[in-house]
Amino acid sequence: MDRAFTLILMGCFLISVSSAPVKKTQNVDIYSFHISSTVTSRYATTTITSRVANKLNKSQEILFEVKIPKNAFISKFRMIIEGKSYDGVVKEKAEAQQQYTQAVSRGQSAGLIKSVGRTLEEFKTSVTVAALSKVTFELTYEELLKRRLGKYELLINAQPMQTVADFKMDVHIHEKTGISFLEVKGDLSTDDLANAIKTTRADKDAWVTFYPTRDQQTKCKTCDETGLNGDLLITYDVQRQNPNGEMTVSNGYFVHSFAPSDVSRIPKNVVFIIDRSGSMHGRKMEQTRSALLRILSDLGENDHFGLITFDSKIDLWKRELLKATQANLEDAKAFAKKITDRGATDINAAVLEGVNMIKQHPREGTTSILILLTDGDPTSGETNKEKITGNVKEAIGSKFPLYCLGFGYDVNFDFLSKMSLENNGVARRIYEDSDADLQLQGFYDEVAVPLLTDIQLNYIGVSNLTQTSFNLYFNGSEIVVSGQITDNSVESVTTEIIAISKGSKVTYRDTVTAKDVSDVQPEHEHFLERLWAYLTVKQLLDRQVLLKGPEKEAAKKEALNLSLKYQFVTPLSSMVVTKPQEDQAEVADKPREGEAPHRPTAHRPASPGFRLLSDAGLKPFDPQMGPVLYGHLSPGLIGQMRPGLHGERGRLLVPDPLPTLSSVHMTMVDPPSDDTDGFDMDATDSDDIPEIAFAYPTQSAPAVRFLLPADGQPKPLCFDVALPYKLKLLQDSASGFSMNGESVASNNGFHQIIIRYKTNHHLTINTNSISYHDGQNNVQYLWGQEPTQHAQEGIYLILRGNEFDVTMGNIRVVILLHKKNSDAFLWPAIWQQPKGVTLSGILGKANISYAEIQGSNTSTLKIMDKEIMVSLADVTDYRYTSAPVVRCWLVPFEAVMNGEISDFAVTQL
Ligand SMILES: *[C@@H]1O[C@H](CO)[C@@H](O)[C@H](O)[C@H]1NC(C)=O
Ligand SMILES: *[C@@H]1O[C@H](CO)[C@@H](O)[C@H](O)[C@H]1NC(C)=O
Ligand SMILES: *[C@@H]1O[C@H](CO)[C@@H](O)[C@H](O)[C@H]1NC(C)=O
Ligand SMILES: *[C@@H]1O[C@H](CO)[C@@H](O)[C@H](O)[C@H]1NC(C)=O
Ligand SMILES: *[C@@H]1O[C@H](CO)[C@@H](O)[C@H](O)[C@H]1NC(C)=O
Ligand SMILES: CC(=O)N[C@H]1CO[C@H](CO)[C@@H](O)[C@@H]1O
């Protein structure tokens, strides 16, 4: 038994993630750290410049590590060393991967950019700098700020990793219609740093500077001696005098922003489809209930609504949509309060029911919205994701949008994204955290007030437009269209917006001068072209999810072309970071949103993985445990653990029925890579992967793992036996031999073993001593005493060190004393099975033969003519003093032992 497999922590859920400690380097001086951000017409370009000196008189590796918003594209990276520039070059992903296979195979690309938390990505690289030399790192990223709930947010993270003599953050916002409000928030905007932050405002411009002293850099709430660590969040909105929207033209490109707020609200029909499958158990369910209660309170009185909860079954609050009257709301809240988790996940049936509900209640002058909240894969009813998306698309028929909220990290976000995009909606992640209810409510708030539907924007004299038709416009958001001016000599551009407001058509028409009116700084003169490229690439990336065949390829190609032309690091491109040492080039890839965050990747040893079948048959346990996700895995499988974000609790998938193990110790696994039903994962066992130790309480007791030798087979088998048990270990009725053992819950093996032979011989072995009674005399030995022998009437007892060798008649067993940490336990070994004897008991099984079933990646074995699902596990072979750990196929007890564990139990030793 490996100690790791028997960590016994009943009643508490424990996760400890140990990652490599951050190396502190006093020999590196970041003498200057500047962040400069310019926002013009919501297009933000941010450059981080870090100047670092190697103070050692020998060369050393210097690290550059910064965090940038997920929505942004990196567009430039440069290192300047000894007067020479090394610029990152954006290439097609496949080409970069191929060209730098060496870098890729060293696993360096994996870590260069990774997703951290909800909104940020981390960019990290390093370079070797000569003795007493300097290096300058410069990273630029760009993003179009999106209006949500009436404001734009510019998030800037600062974490230089040490205090910096010359730290500066400069933000300049230029909005030609004027800035209506501006606020500086974030965890760096605290009282301690208040006088380091200065905000200056003019009509169209705002400047925010943040120049903390070295002293201040250690004093903010989230900072320590390693300096600043936090965000500055600048939120603002702009004036909107022109109801037709705002047109900005520069260098042959334009952007048109349209966000009316003086339109009357359209009554809506909204159906909430809530996943209450077992995986929603605990805090997720609570948060969903509490968000739902608040959302219900926020419904407008002209809104109609419906509530559907689903697992493998579907429950409706009411068959039809009802008006949000006080009485109905009270009734719905009572329903919401009673939602409890259970069962599997039938997304298909639930969404189709929601669509049906809406379709059966058409109302003039209203708009309909479907909101699906789920935390897992479809596991019941129709589970083929392609079929589901097809069914849903056909049922909705583009008549109203479907928004999908993916709760937690075990959702298949690609699937939800696709389903939303196909139905004019968007998918949003809800992060499993204490504020999940607020995230849910925040999302609802964004879609709470529809103002216009079927919006079409038309322009004359322009080309290469980004998206121009939109299903819905919500108060607090913004419609943005960008394009190129066909003829630079034209004096004006005509805009026309046609939309439906409460059932009647409205038109907005405007003619604006096409002359360059923007007073942007020269270094940003191309910002509109870049804004156009950014928006075009983003929309193409979304679109290609929906397309097929040549159209998909064309969209991809176009997005790639623009990524290369504008040097954006997008999901289709990679940045090759070159270094003074040729062979040290690295490849930076943008993580996809569907990917789990911040997970170390390393080489995958060729070990068969385990397979997640479904989350059917979910088994809730301690409700105080909070959000834990369970899954149904192959029999005998331990479960899958996913790390939490930023100290959030991780999640664990365990089999149902729970295995007899109480806890496991496993290394992290790579995230599932595709959206097949279920997925295979390889357990990795590289040294540099942090290990997660976790334990979960089970109704079943902890277990001892036995090894079952399988001569001539590739791997031995192993099985678990729950503890505590008094077990029949070995019996030979013909000769009157029996050996029983008893274990206590905190042991890896046995604390007492009793051997009987014929009627008079009796051996009692515990972890301190051995006593032998032959019917008349008593002999006592102590473990560790001088080597001793005893021989008489076919009985040989030999004690050497930690081995006690017992031969009685034709049976020979060796009892070993193992010490692990402070625990001592006994382990019985049968090195040689006696010939021509039928033995019973747990150790009575001679070697067993099995066949690995071909083609199934050997997770199915044929044992005694039965096909058995197995998983790969480790077992410590306590039959030897050295206790080697060996890999084995973990099989259910019944599969190899011709009986249940209780058949091997004895009431008395
Ligand atoms: C590095 O500095 C140490 C102490 O200042 C000195 O003894 C040593 O010679 C220096 N080495 C080099 C290569 O300059
Ligand atoms: C839209 O939002 C703005 C600002 O939040 C508010 O003043 C306005 O009344 C809202 N419009 C409607 C129709 O609710
Ligand atoms: C539109 O884009 C295409 C290809 O990207 C380009 O060839 C064309 O010149 C662009 N149109 C204008 C008006 O610039
Ligand atoms: C992409 O760019 C290449 C060369 O720059 C050009 O040959 C190709 O036509 C472009 N493709 C598209 C779809 O614009
Ligand atoms: C174990 O099983 C294999 C295959 O059935 C057989 O060849 C071998 O002799 C067996 N060994 C013992 C010790 O029974
Ligand atoms: C023997 C066998 O079926 N091997 C398969 C294991 O799985 C990989 C990836 O799914 C296949 O490529 C192998 O053929």
Side-chain angles (χ1 to χ4, degrees), residues 253 463-464 484-486 532 558 562:
Y253 288 80
S463 71
N464 290 355
Q484 293 168 245
I485 310 267
T486 326
W532 167 82
E558 201 184 334
L562 291 172

Side-chain angles (χ1 to χ4, degrees), residues 710-713 833 835 846-849:
D711 285 359
Q713 314 262 358
Q833 292 282 348
K835 293 227 159 43
N847 80 43
I848 193 160
S849 68

Side-chain angles (χ1 to χ4, degrees), residues 59-360:
S59 71
Q60 68 167 322
E61 186 115 332
I62 290 183
L63 184 71
F64 176 67
E65 188 179 341
V66 291
K67 297 198 181 87
I68 70 165
K70 273 185 188 168
N71 257 330
F73 290 151
I74 288 174
S75 57
K76 187 174 166 188
F77 176 67
R78 166 178 286 183
M79 289 184 281
I80 305 163
I81 305 161
E82 288 164 13
K84 206 165 171 259
S85 290
Y86 301 88
D87 286 2
V89 181
V90 175
K91 300 197 170 191
E92 181 180 356
K93 196 168 196 163
E95 188 195 334
Q97 300 267 330
Q98 219 167 25
Q99 214 169 338
Y100 295 89
T101 38
Q102 237 193 325
V104 173
S105 71
R106 283 199 304 263
Q108 290 170 338
S109 63
L112 225 49
I113 309 178
K114 58 194 167 200
S115 179
V116 285
R118 299 182 190 178
T119 49
L120 296 171
E121 275 167 10
E122 181 187 79
F123 175 90
K124 184 173 167 182
T125 188
S126 63
V127 68
T128 307
V129 176
L132 304 169
S133 285
K134 291 175 179 171
V135 56
T136 299
F137 298 99
E138 202 181 293
L139 180 83
T140 301
Y141 60 87
E142 305 178 26
E143 69 183 312
L144 182 62
L145 305 180
K146 220 178 183 148
R147 187 162 184 256
R148 281 210 178 105
L149 300 172
K151 54 185 191 276
Y152 307 99
E153 292 188 339
L154 176 70
L155 179 74
I156 301 178
N157 181 273
Q159 189 184 0
M161 309 299 277
Q162 61 173 248
T163 61
V164 177
D166 170 32
F167 181 99
K168 280 185 181 163
M169 194 190 287
D170 289 279
V171 178
H172 175 205
I173 298 170
H174 176 77
E175 294 289 352
K176 69 168 191 175
T177 58
I179 294 165
S180 63
F181 85 89
L182 182 134
E183 203 179 356
V184 181
K185 297 193 291 191
D187 41 24
L188 291 179
S189 176
T190 56
D191 290 347
D192 320 307
L193 295 171
N195 67 358
I197 299 175
K198 280 208 173 57
T199 305
T200 315
R201 284 189 51 184
D203 177 25
K204 297 177 180 175
D205 296 271
W207 293 266
V208 177
T209 62
F210 174 47
Y211 297 170
T213 62
R214 228 183 231 277
D215 193 37
Q216 282 172 321
Q217 288 170 39
T218 60
K219 288 226 174 99
C220 67
K221 210 163 63 197
T222 56
C223 315
D224 54 21
E225 68 278 3
T226 57
L228 292 173
N229 177 5
D231 307 318
L232 218 53
L233 181 69
I234 299 171
T235 62
Y236 75 97
D237 199 13
V238 303
Q239 307 275 6
R240 281 168 234 277
Q241 286 98 353
N242 187 345
N244 303 311
E246 170 207 338
M247 188 80 164
T248 306
V249 178
S250 172
N251 255 325
Y253 288 80
F254 78 89
V255 63
H256 184 207
S257 319
F258 177 65
S261 62
D262 54 353
V263 189
S264 59
R265 161 188 190 137
I266 304 176
K268 66 180 182 292
N269 313 305
V270 57
V271 175
F272 301 95
I273 306 170
I274 310 288
D275 184 343
R276 52 139 198 242
S277 65
S279 48
M280 287 286 287
H281 180 72
R283 192 165 67 159
K284 278 197 216 165
M285 203 70 255
E286 267 164 48
Q287 290 169 322
T288 302
R289 275 193 299 263
S290 102
L292 203 53
L293 292 179
R294 269 181 283 166
I295 289 170
L296 288 171
S297 304
D298 287 349
L299 286 173
E301 68 181 297
N302 288 323
D303 289 344
H304 282 54
F305 71 104
L307 271 178
I308 297 176
T309 62
F310 72 101
D311 46 87
S312 47
K313 268 182 52 205
I314 292 170
D315 278 334
L316 311 178
W317 164 59
K318 290 279 151 52
R319 298 233 122 257
E320 64 253 13
L321 297 184
L322 289 185
K323 194 166 183 201
T325 61
Q326 209 52 41
N328 283 339
L329 287 174
E330 288 312 315
D331 193 59
K333 284 182 191 173
F335 177 85
K337 278 182 196 152
K338 282 196 235 134
I339 303 174
T340 46
D341 57 282
R342 60 172 197 228
T345 313
D346 189 347
I347 290 178
N348 186 61
V351 176
L352 294 183
E353 183 60 51
V355 174
N356 189 38
M357 243 185 185
I358 289 181
K359 278 185 161 172
Q360 286 188 350

Side-chain angles (χ1 to χ4, degrees), residues 553-562 564:
E553 283 314 304
K556 240 175 155 169
K557 211 166 157 192
E558 201 184 334
L560 174 63
N561 251 11
L562 291 172
L564 300 184

